[in-house]
Amino acid sequence: MTDHEKTPARVSFPDLDAGQYVPLGALVARVRKMRGLSQVAVQQRAGMKASTLSKIECGDNGINGVASIIKLADALEVPREQLFEWAVRYIESHDTGPRRNPR
């Protein structure tokens, strides 16, 4: 997305807006279908490998890295900030590892 393009409108889903947790992959799939896009079209727009989007939507993978979140948000025409929020919720809900203490 270039500076002169405007930010897409936030996506709204009743369950998510009511505070219910919805898995990241389900949200990505919902937006993709709402936009009338195939997995192939989104993968091409985002520059992803063929199986990556499928794995994200199935919950087998999260979105790895800031650049991937930006590319996927742009491909889905979702505000980048919103996809970051969804990704953070996904990470927080799957984070079961020990916390490191800052030194």
Side-chain angles (χ1 to χ4, degrees), residues 19-48:
Q20 185 176 357
Y21 173 75
V22 179
L24 176 63
L27 292 169
V28 169
R30 283 185 193 181
V31 172
R32 178 181 59 75
K33 291 172 186 174
M34 184 175 75
R35 301 279 192 248
L37 298 168
S38 68
Q39 285 186 339
V40 172
V42 173
Q43 290 166 349
Q44 290 173 342
R45 286 179 170 194
M48 297 179 148

Side-chain angles (χ1 to χ4, degrees), residues 52-101:
T52 301
L53 183 60
S54 177
K55 288 180 180 179
I56 291 169
E57 289 186 1
C58 290
D60 293 338
N61 278 6
I63 303 172
N64 298 323
V66 172
S68 295
I69 292 172
I70 290 171
K71 288 177 184 178
L72 186 56
D74 291 351
L76 292 169
E77 299 174 8
V78 172
R80 292 171 176 178
E81 297 81 13
Q82 188 171 24
L83 191 56
F84 272 102
E85 291 167 11
W86 294 348
V88 167
R89 270 192 240 131
Y90 172 83
I91 291 166
E92 288 174 346
S93 72
H94 288 81
D95 184 16
T96 58
R99 301 260 189 245
R100 287 195 273 173
N101 292 328

